[in-house]
Amino acid sequence: MQPHTLNSTSPLISALNRQKTSHTPVWFMRQAGRSLPEYRKIRGVESILQVLKHPELAAEITVQPVRRYGVDAAIIYSDIMAPLDPLNIGLDIKPGIGPVVNPPFRTLADLDRMRSLEAEDDLASMAQALELVRREVSVPIIGFAGAPFTIASYLIEGNPSRSYENTKFLMVTNPLFWDRLINRLVDIIADTLALQVAHGATVLQLFDSWVGALSPAHYRRYLLPHMRELTERVSSLGVPLIHFGINTGSLLDTVAELSIAALGVDWRVDLGEVAARFGDRLAIQGNLDPVLALAPTDVLLGEVDSILRHSARAPGYIFNLGHGVLPTTDPAQLRAITDYVHDYGEPIRSQVLQESQ
Ligand code: 1CP
């Protein structure tokens, strides 16, 4: 394995600054755990919320994929709902299901059930895990949080949903409830990200996984002002922020107005088009369909090659999947992607660019 480069000159940070890189950086959403045998060995059967109470375990799980794949970043092992766990809102993360909130948040009175976050105390385990990871790796550490809509969807629905009917209903019918809830979440998210930076995160990602369920008009009306405030607060931390959501093709023009460094996209968008449209302002991250990592290696690498070609018009580009690693993925496939992107990413991208000029 090649020695890791220092944080300040790491390919990930350079790409986020839309500068030239020694190789194309790559990491995988949900790279920590899931498909790794060494993860399953130490993970046990407890809820992830219990695992997160042991910083040395969380740190080890964070570092495993960096060792195994040689990826260009570690992402702290946590969950988008973890910062809400200490707030006593009736949260559980059920193995095989996901976040459950009982009873769900539906009225103004429910908001009083959620106390304020005291990040240094409430998230002390997360801070310790970050400090441990910082000693172990020289690649950048990505801190992350869920964005307000995606967290609100779990609080209001009470469980994973694909229609978000209660969330959308309250959003359009109860502006007082909606604005108060989202304001509370903006505070929690901004404080969580600030804590992560204070303890070693040098890149941040905001997961707005489910916001693609909204129309562009509703995104503008009910979320954009809050997202502006959140991303402006985060930009004062001085580290690059990546925005990610699935199914967000029709929202990208609006999302690109936020104070962010990079747009993360899924496979439903044409990467070439996104690179041409936003690459002069933002770094671009994505967008291999995670299902393709299950295909035979030659088929998979053909798809990786095609994505690299389509990315050429974005000076800042980070290879990633378009959503999280599927649990059935063979780790050797992720290693093969990483090696291919490292060896051929920049030669391919500069060749395509030259040919188009
Ligand atoms: O690399 C990593 O795996 C880092 C850890 C990580 C991250 C980045 C976890 C651990 N969760 C997340 C983010 C997360 N959590 C997102 C955004 C990314 C995405 O869209 O996948 C979302 C929406 C969640 C919410 C969540 N937590 C779900 C999805 C539920 C749904 O609506 O479909 C699930 C299944 C969880 C539980 C969870 N989070 C993480 C793990 C390892 C697990 C599984 C725990 C278990 O089953 O025991």
Side-chain angles (χ1 to χ4, degrees):
M1 210 196 312
Q2 288 193 336
H4 297 306
T5 41
L6 286 175
N7 260 351
S8 54
T9 55
S10 86
L12 178 64
I13 305 274
S14 300
L16 285 164
N17 290 324
R18 301 177 49 262
Q19 289 159 351
K20 261 202 134 3
T21 57
S22 51
H23 63 244
T24 304
V26 47
W27 66 280
F28 303 107
M29 289 187 280
R30 305 295 297 270
Q31 68 188 16
R34 287 192 128 182
S35 66
L36 285 180
E38 58 265 40
Y39 164 78
R40 289 198 291 266
K41 211 159 124 195
I42 63 166
R43 165 73 168 77
V45 291
E46 286 181 303
S47 155
I48 180 173
L49 292 174
Q50 296 307 314
V51 177
L52 295 177
K53 295 192 168 123
H54 305 283
E56 59 304 328
L57 214 52
E60 169 60 20
I61 294 171
T62 303
V63 175
Q64 283 175 347
V66 180
R67 281 192 213 117
R68 162 93 66 153
Y69 305 128
V71 281
D72 295 275
I75 176 162
I76 188 68
Y77 184 74
S78 181
D79 187 75
I80 59 165
M81 299 303 285
L84 284 77
D85 184 35
L87 309 183
N88 298 321
I89 57 163
L91 169 71
D92 193 5
I93 299 186
K94 296 215 161 125
I97 297 176
V100 171
V101 177
N102 190 18
F105 280 44
R106 303 275 165 88
T107 65
L108 281 173
D110 286 321
L111 299 185
D112 296 333
R113 285 161 45 203
M114 182 163 73
R115 68 163 172 82
S116 313
L117 178 74
E118 303 293 336
E120 284 289 345
D121 288 342
D122 290 330
L123 306 180
S125 299
M126 186 189 281
Q128 274 174 32
L130 281 159
E131 296 288 352
L132 291 170
V133 174
R134 168 144 82 169
R135 278 186 239 152
E136 283 281 314
V137 298
S138 49
V139 291
I141 305 171
I142 303 176
F144 74 90
F149 179 84
T150 295
I151 295 182
S153 78
Y154 291 110
L155 293 178
I156 295 173
E157 302 299 331
N159 46 47
S161 158
R162 291 297 173 260
S163 60
Y164 315 101
E165 49 195 74
N166 297 292
T167 312
K168 289 184 186 178
F169 181 83
L170 283 168
M171 181 180 83
V172 300
T173 58
N174 196 336
L176 193 60
F177 170 85
W178 182 255
D179 284 328
R180 269 201 207 158
L181 172 60
I182 300 299
N183 280 332
R184 296 287 309 276
L185 293 177
V186 164
D187 284 341
I188 291 169
I189 295 160
D191 290 350
T192 301
L193 296 173
L195 172 110
Q196 293 174 346
V197 170
H199 292 278
T202 52
V203 173
L204 295 170
Q205 177 156 313
L206 209 43
F207 284 95
D208 212 348
S209 299
W210 313 133
V211 79
L214 295 184
S215 71
H218 280 180
Y219 183 86
R220 274 193 174 272
R221 177 158 168 197
Y222 297 109
L223 282 165
L224 185 61
H226 299 290
M227 291 297 289
R228 273 221 176 92
E229 190 203 322
L230 174 60
T231 54
E232 275 159 24
R233 272 166 75 172
V234 173
S235 65
S236 73
L237 300 170
V239 304
L241 175 64
I242 307 167
H243 179 284
F244 169 76
I246 69 166
N247 252 321
T248 49
S250 65
L251 303 180
L252 292 181
D253 280 318
T254 315
V255 170
E257 291 174 25
L258 299 171
S259 292
I260 56 174
L263 263 186
V265 290
D266 77 2
W267 60 93
R268 294 171 184 85
V269 297
D270 177 336
L271 192 69
E273 203 250 324
V274 170
R277 194 143 54 105
F278 303 106
D280 60 340
R281 292 183 277 156
L282 296 169
I284 307 297
Q285 174 176 284
N287 71 343
L288 182 78
D289 184 341
V291 170
L292 295 172
L294 308 178
T297 312
D298 57 331
V299 176
L300 167 63
L301 294 181
E303 299 283 346
V304 172
D305 191 279
S306 160
I307 286 176
L308 289 167
R309 288 176 192 282
H310 282 92
S311 78
R313 289 181 66 183
Y317 172 66
I318 301 145
F319 191 95
N320 206 317
L321 306 180
H323 201 182
V325 173
L326 294 171
T328 47
T329 309
D330 178 351
Q333 296 274 81
L334 298 184
R335 176 85 226 188
I337 298 175
T338 308
D339 290 346
Y340 194 90
V341 171
H342 283 173
D343 290 347
Y344 303 111
E346 287 315 288
I348 290 172
R349 282 163 40 74
S350 47
Q351 189 204 349
V352 171
L353 204 58
Q354 262 171 17
E355 284 169 3
S356 70
Q357 275 164 359

